[in-house]
mmCIF file of all heavy atoms in Angstrom:
data_model
loop_
_atom_site.group_PDB
_atom_site.id
_atom_site.type_symbol
_atom_site.label_atom_id
_atom_site.label_comp_id
_atom_site.label_asym_id
_atom_site.label_seq_id
_atom_site.Cartn_x
_atom_site.Cartn_y
_atom_site.Cartn_z
ATOM 1 N N PRO A 93 181.664 104.075 6.362
ATOM 2 C CA PRO A 93 181.152 104.038 4.986
ATOM 3 C C PRO A 93 179.760 103.422 4.866
ATOM 4 O O PRO A 93 178.915 103.947 4.141
ATOM 5 C CB PRO A 93 182.176 103.179 4.242
ATOM 6 C CG PRO A 93 183.389 103.154 5.082
ATOM 7 C CD PRO A 93 183.008 103.500 6.477
ATOM 8 N N GLU A 94 179.510 102.329 5.598
ATOM 9 C CA GLU A 94 178.207 101.660 5.470
ATOM 10 C C GLU A 94 177.061 102.596 5.868
ATOM 11 O O GLU A 94 175.955 102.488 5.352
ATOM 12 C CB GLU A 94 178.155 100.387 6.324
ATOM 13 C CG GLU A 94 178.958 99.217 5.779
ATOM 14 C CD GLU A 94 180.433 99.265 6.184
ATOM 15 O OE1 GLU A 94 180.891 100.311 6.714
ATOM 16 O OE2 GLU A 94 181.132 98.264 5.961
ATOM 17 N N LEU A 97 177.086 105.917 3.152
ATOM 18 C CA LEU A 97 176.543 105.622 1.821
ATOM 19 C C LEU A 97 175.018 105.593 1.824
ATOM 20 O O LEU A 97 174.393 105.620 0.777
ATOM 21 C CB LEU A 97 177.088 104.273 1.323
ATOM 22 C CG LEU A 97 178.582 104.269 0.957
ATOM 23 C CD1 LEU A 97 179.102 102.841 0.805
ATOM 24 C CD2 LEU A 97 178.831 105.056 -0.324
ATOM 25 N N GLU A 353 174.463 95.067 5.450
ATOM 26 C CA GLU A 353 174.773 94.268 4.251
ATOM 27 C C GLU A 353 174.728 95.122 2.987
ATOM 28 O O GLU A 353 175.603 95.051 2.134
ATOM 29 C CB GLU A 353 173.792 93.083 4.151
ATOM 30 C CG GLU A 353 174.096 92.041 5.208
ATOM 31 C CD GLU A 353 172.995 90.996 5.387
ATOM 32 O OE1 GLU A 353 171.895 91.157 4.784
ATOM 33 O OE2 GLU A 353 173.222 90.044 6.137
ATOM 34 N N GLY A 355 175.192 98.313 2.834
ATOM 35 C CA GLY A 355 176.335 99.226 2.868
ATOM 36 C C GLY A 355 177.586 98.538 2.360
ATOM 37 O O GLY A 355 178.354 99.102 1.578
ATOM 38 N N GLN A 356 177.788 97.303 2.787
ATOM 39 C CA GLN A 356 178.986 96.578 2.361
ATOM 40 C C GLN A 356 178.957 96.309 0.859
ATOM 41 O O GLN A 356 179.991 96.347 0.192
ATOM 42 C CB GLN A 356 179.127 95.293 3.168
ATOM 43 C CG GLN A 356 179.549 95.639 4.597
ATOM 44 C CD GLN A 356 179.787 94.453 5.481
ATOM 45 O OE1 GLN A 356 179.238 93.378 5.259
ATOM 46 N NE2 GLN A 356 180.582 94.634 6.516
ATOM 47 N N GLU A 357 177.762 96.061 0.348
ATOM 48 C CA GLU A 357 177.615 95.840 -1.095
ATOM 49 C C GLU A 357 177.971 97.113 -1.875
ATOM 50 O O GLU A 357 178.636 97.060 -2.901
ATOM 51 C CB GLU A 357 176.178 95.444 -1.374
ATOM 52 C CG GLU A 357 176.006 94.622 -2.626
ATOM 53 C CD GLU A 357 174.668 93.920 -2.583
ATOM 54 O OE1 GLU A 357 174.519 92.962 -1.782
ATOM 55 O OE2 GLU A 357 173.775 94.355 -3.309
ATOM 56 N N GLN A 358 177.525 98.256 -1.331
ATOM 57 C CA GLN A 358 177.767 99.527 -2.027
ATOM 58 C C GLN A 358 179.246 99.894 -2.098
ATOM 59 O O GLN A 358 179.650 100.663 -2.960
ATOM 60 C CB GLN A 358 176.975 100.657 -1.358
ATOM 61 C CG GLN A 358 175.578 100.775 -1.926
ATOM 62 C CD GLN A 358 174.747 101.784 -1.156
ATOM 63 O OE1 GLN A 358 173.931 101.430 -0.328
ATOM 64 N NE2 GLN A 358 174.966 103.059 -1.426
ATOM 65 N N LEU A 359 180.033 99.293 -1.191
ATOM 66 C CA LEU A 359 181.472 99.572 -1.213
ATOM 67 C C LEU A 359 182.131 99.059 -2.488
ATOM 68 O O LEU A 359 183.212 99.490 -2.848
ATOM 69 C CB LEU A 359 182.158 98.924 0.000
ATOM 70 C CG LEU A 359 181.774 99.438 1.369
ATOM 71 C CD1 LEU A 359 182.517 98.678 2.450
ATOM 72 C CD2 LEU A 359 182.077 100.921 1.481
ATOM 73 N N GLN A 360 181.470 98.120 -3.152
ATOM 74 C CA GLN A 360 182.033 97.508 -4.371
ATOM 75 C C GLN A 360 181.736 98.324 -5.624
ATOM 76 O O GLN A 360 182.194 97.973 -6.706
ATOM 77 C CB GLN A 360 181.448 96.100 -4.605
ATOM 78 C CG GLN A 360 181.238 95.271 -3.361
ATOM 79 C CD GLN A 360 182.463 94.479 -2.977
ATOM 80 O OE1 GLN A 360 183.502 94.597 -3.635
ATOM 81 N NE2 GLN A 360 182.368 93.698 -1.918
ATOM 82 N N GLN A 361 180.926 99.372 -5.479
ATOM 83 C CA GLN A 361 180.560 100.130 -6.674
ATOM 84 C C GLN A 361 181.644 101.125 -7.077
ATOM 85 O O GLN A 361 182.376 101.636 -6.239
ATOM 86 C CB GLN A 361 179.224 100.859 -6.435
ATOM 87 C CG GLN A 361 178.048 99.893 -6.449
ATOM 88 C CD GLN A 361 176.784 100.517 -5.901
ATOM 89 O OE1 GLN A 361 176.682 101.740 -5.796
ATOM 90 N NE2 GLN A 361 175.827 99.677 -5.547
ATOM 91 N N LYS A 362 181.687 101.398 -8.368
ATOM 92 C CA LYS A 362 182.700 102.303 -8.917
ATOM 93 C C LYS A 362 182.491 103.739 -8.429
ATOM 94 O O LYS A 362 181.381 104.254 -8.477
ATOM 95 C CB LYS A 362 182.610 102.253 -10.449
ATOM 96 C CG LYS A 362 183.561 103.200 -11.146
ATOM 97 C CD LYS A 362 183.378 103.170 -12.668
ATOM 98 C CE LYS A 362 184.146 104.326 -13.300
ATOM 99 N NZ LYS A 362 184.023 104.364 -14.759
ATOM 100 N N ILE A 363 183.567 104.364 -7.979
ATOM 101 C CA ILE A 363 183.474 105.778 -7.566
ATOM 102 C C ILE A 363 184.280 106.683 -8.495
ATOM 103 O O ILE A 363 184.158 107.904 -8.444
ATOM 104 C CB ILE A 363 183.956 105.981 -6.112
ATOM 105 C CG1 ILE A 363 185.399 105.475 -5.940
ATOM 106 C CG2 ILE A 363 183.030 105.288 -5.118
ATOM 107 C CD1 ILE A 363 186.110 106.072 -4.752
ATOM 108 N N ASP A 410 198.264 100.510 0.555
ATOM 109 C CA ASP A 410 198.067 99.743 -0.690
ATOM 110 C C ASP A 410 198.183 100.690 -1.877
ATOM 111 O O ASP A 410 198.140 101.914 -1.714
ATOM 112 C CB ASP A 410 196.676 99.080 -0.682
ATOM 113 C CG ASP A 410 196.629 97.818 -1.547
ATOM 114 O OD1 ASP A 410 197.595 97.577 -2.311
ATOM 115 O OD2 ASP A 410 195.623 97.092 -1.472
ATOM 116 N N SER A 411 198.305 100.097 -3.069
ATOM 117 C CA SER A 411 198.276 100.862 -4.315
ATOM 118 C C SER A 411 196.886 100.746 -4.918
ATOM 119 O O SER A 411 196.077 99.921 -4.493
ATOM 120 C CB SER A 411 199.288 100.291 -5.304
ATOM 121 O OG SER A 411 200.599 100.484 -4.819
ATOM 122 N N ILE A 412 196.615 101.589 -5.923
ATOM 123 C CA ILE A 412 195.385 101.438 -6.706
ATOM 124 C C ILE A 412 195.821 101.225 -8.156
ATOM 125 O O ILE A 412 196.610 102.012 -8.705
ATOM 126 C CB ILE A 412 194.471 102.668 -6.553
ATOM 127 C CG1 ILE A 412 193.887 102.714 -5.126
ATOM 128 C CG2 ILE A 412 193.344 102.637 -7.595
ATOM 129 C CD1 ILE A 412 192.968 103.900 -4.838
ATOM 130 N N ASP A 416 189.086 101.221 -13.077
ATOM 131 C CA ASP A 416 188.020 101.675 -12.179
ATOM 132 C C ASP A 416 188.463 101.613 -10.716
ATOM 133 O O ASP A 416 189.230 100.742 -10.326
ATOM 134 C CB ASP A 416 186.769 100.811 -12.358
ATOM 135 C CG ASP A 416 186.091 101.083 -13.699
ATOM 136 O OD1 ASP A 416 186.488 102.068 -14.362
ATOM 137 O OD2 ASP A 416 185.188 100.314 -14.066
ATOM 138 N N ILE A 417 187.923 102.526 -9.934
ATOM 139 C CA ILE A 417 188.232 102.567 -8.491
ATOM 140 C C ILE A 417 186.925 102.407 -7.717
ATOM 141 O O ILE A 417 185.921 103.051 -8.054
ATOM 142 C CB ILE A 417 188.887 103.908 -8.096
ATOM 143 C CG1 ILE A 417 190.139 104.184 -8.959
ATOM 144 C CG2 ILE A 417 189.260 103.919 -6.620
ATOM 145 C CD1 ILE A 417 190.732 105.584 -8.756
ATOM 146 N N THR A 418 186.936 101.541 -6.692
ATOM 147 C CA THR A 418 185.771 101.408 -5.802
ATOM 148 C C THR A 418 186.128 101.995 -4.430
ATOM 149 O O THR A 418 187.307 102.198 -4.116
ATOM 150 C CB THR A 418 185.380 99.923 -5.595
ATOM 151 O OG1 THR A 418 186.441 99.284 -4.871
ATOM 152 C CG2 THR A 418 185.153 99.203 -6.909
ATOM 153 N N TYR A 419 185.098 102.211 -3.627
ATOM 154 C CA TYR A 419 185.327 102.695 -2.258
ATOM 155 C C TYR A 419 186.161 101.663 -1.496
ATOM 156 O O TYR A 419 187.024 101.994 -0.682
ATOM 157 C CB TYR A 419 183.975 102.926 -1.574
ATOM 158 C CG TYR A 419 184.009 103.824 -0.344
ATOM 159 C CD1 TYR A 419 182.814 104.267 0.221
ATOM 160 C CD2 TYR A 419 185.203 104.227 0.245
ATOM 161 C CE1 TYR A 419 182.813 105.089 1.339
ATOM 162 C CE2 TYR A 419 185.207 105.046 1.367
ATOM 163 C CZ TYR A 419 184.003 105.470 1.912
ATOM 164 O OH TYR A 419 184.001 106.276 3.024
ATOM 165 N N LYS A 420 185.915 100.394 -1.793
ATOM 166 C CA LYS A 420 186.670 99.331 -1.116
ATOM 167 C C LYS A 420 188.174 99.468 -1.385
ATOM 168 O O LYS A 420 188.992 99.269 -0.484
ATOM 169 C CB LYS A 420 186.158 97.965 -1.603
ATOM 170 C CG LYS A 420 186.592 96.858 -0.686
ATOM 171 C CD LYS A 420 185.636 95.693 -0.692
ATOM 172 C CE LYS A 420 185.883 94.888 0.572
ATOM 173 N NZ LYS A 420 184.831 93.985 0.893
ATOM 174 N N ASP A 421 188.527 99.817 -2.643
ATOM 175 C CA ASP A 421 189.944 100.046 -2.977
ATOM 176 C C ASP A 421 190.520 101.150 -2.092
ATOM 177 O O ASP A 421 191.644 101.056 -1.599
ATOM 178 C CB ASP A 421 190.095 100.481 -4.453
ATOM 179 C CG ASP A 421 189.662 99.401 -5.431
ATOM 180 O OD1 ASP A 421 189.831 98.207 -5.100
ATOM 181 O OD2 ASP A 421 189.164 99.757 -6.523
ATOM 182 N N VAL A 422 189.736 102.207 -1.928
ATOM 183 C CA VAL A 422 190.192 103.354 -1.126
ATOM 184 C C VAL A 422 190.390 102.934 0.335
ATOM 185 O O VAL A 422 191.371 103.312 0.979
ATOM 186 C CB VAL A 422 189.178 104.522 -1.234
ATOM 187 C CG1 VAL A 422 189.521 105.642 -0.265
ATOM 188 C CG2 VAL A 422 189.134 105.048 -2.664
ATOM 189 N N LEU A 423 189.460 102.130 0.836
ATOM 190 C CA LEU A 423 189.562 101.690 2.237
ATOM 191 C C LEU A 423 190.765 100.775 2.467
ATOM 192 O O LEU A 423 191.287 100.701 3.576
ATOM 193 C CB LEU A 423 188.273 100.988 2.659
ATOM 194 C CG LEU A 423 187.078 101.922 2.864
ATOM 195 C CD1 LEU A 423 185.783 101.131 2.922
ATOM 196 C CD2 LEU A 423 187.245 102.758 4.133
ATOM 197 N N LYS A 424 191.218 100.091 1.413
ATOM 198 C CA LYS A 424 192.442 99.278 1.550
ATOM 199 C C LYS A 424 193.671 100.183 1.651
ATOM 200 O O LYS A 424 194.626 99.856 2.339
ATOM 201 C CB LYS A 424 192.589 98.338 0.344
ATOM 202 C CG LYS A 424 191.744 97.095 0.457
ATOM 203 C CD LYS A 424 192.075 96.141 -0.685
ATOM 204 C CE LYS A 424 191.020 95.079 -0.812
ATOM 205 N NZ LYS A 424 190.913 94.586 -2.197
ATOM 206 N N VAL A 425 193.627 101.306 0.952
ATOM 207 C CA VAL A 425 194.744 102.252 1.006
ATOM 208 C C VAL A 425 194.784 102.943 2.377
ATOM 209 O O VAL A 425 195.838 103.110 2.976
ATOM 210 C CB VAL A 425 194.624 103.309 -0.124
ATOM 211 C CG1 VAL A 425 195.752 104.337 -0.012
ATOM 212 C CG2 VAL A 425 194.647 102.638 -1.489
ATOM 213 N N GLN A 426 193.610 103.349 2.866
ATOM 214 C CA GLN A 426 193.534 104.070 4.149
ATOM 215 C C GLN A 426 192.538 103.373 5.085
ATOM 216 O O GLN A 426 191.398 103.810 5.224
ATOM 217 C CB GLN A 426 193.106 105.520 3.910
ATOM 218 C CG GLN A 426 194.156 106.305 3.128
ATOM 219 C CD GLN A 426 193.919 107.789 3.194
ATOM 220 O OE1 GLN A 426 193.094 108.320 2.478
ATOM 221 N NE2 GLN A 426 194.659 108.458 4.053
ATOM 222 N N PRO A 427 192.978 102.295 5.731
ATOM 223 C CA PRO A 427 192.041 101.500 6.542
ATOM 224 C C PRO A 427 191.878 101.974 7.982
ATOM 225 O O PRO A 427 191.075 101.418 8.721
ATOM 226 C CB PRO A 427 192.700 100.114 6.534
ATOM 227 C CG PRO A 427 194.162 100.396 6.430
ATOM 228 C CD PRO A 427 194.311 101.686 5.655
ATOM 229 N N ALA A 522 189.694 108.177 4.573
ATOM 230 C CA ALA A 522 189.293 107.424 3.381
ATOM 231 C C ALA A 522 188.094 108.086 2.690
ATOM 232 O O ALA A 522 187.992 108.082 1.458
ATOM 233 C CB ALA A 522 188.942 105.983 3.757
ATOM 234 N N LEU A 525 189.427 110.997 0.697
ATOM 235 C CA LEU A 525 190.066 110.548 -0.549
ATOM 236 C C LEU A 525 189.012 110.115 -1.561
ATOM 237 O O LEU A 525 189.088 110.453 -2.743
ATOM 238 C CB LEU A 525 191.049 109.403 -0.245
ATOM 239 C CG LEU A 525 191.805 108.834 -1.449
ATOM 240 C CD1 LEU A 525 192.567 109.913 -2.199
ATOM 241 C CD2 LEU A 525 192.763 107.721 -1.002
ATOM 242 N N LYS A 526 188.010 109.410 -1.080
ATOM 243 C CA LYS A 526 186.916 108.973 -1.955
ATOM 244 C C LYS A 526 186.247 110.190 -2.598
ATOM 245 O O LYS A 526 186.001 110.220 -3.807
ATOM 246 C CB LYS A 526 185.884 108.182 -1.156
ATOM 247 C CG LYS A 526 184.611 107.883 -1.919
ATOM 248 C CD LYS A 526 183.540 107.310 -0.994
ATOM 249 C CE LYS A 526 182.187 107.275 -1.636
ATOM 250 N NZ LYS A 526 181.210 108.165 -1.022
ATOM 251 N N ILE A 529 188.428 111.656 -5.314
ATOM 252 C CA ILE A 529 188.439 110.808 -6.522
ATOM 253 C C ILE A 529 187.126 110.975 -7.295
ATOM 254 O O ILE A 529 187.125 111.126 -8.515
ATOM 255 C CB ILE A 529 188.678 109.317 -6.138
ATOM 256 C CG1 ILE A 529 190.096 109.142 -5.590
ATOM 257 C CG2 ILE A 529 188.432 108.394 -7.337
ATOM 258 C CD1 ILE A 529 190.371 107.780 -4.965
#
Side-chain angles (χ1 to χ4, degrees):
E94 286 85 349
L97 290 166
E353 288 167 352
Q356 288 183 335
E357 206 162 288
Q358 272 173 259
L359 295 179
Q360 322 272 3
Q361 287 167 17
K362 177 183 169 180
I363 57 159
D410 206 349
S411 294
I412 290 180
D416 289 349
I417 305 172
T418 67
Y419 199 170
K420 196 152 199 164
D421 296 328
V422 172
L423 287 165
K424 279 187 195 152
V425 177
Q426 294 195 280
L525 180 56
K526 171 190 168 246
I529 293 170

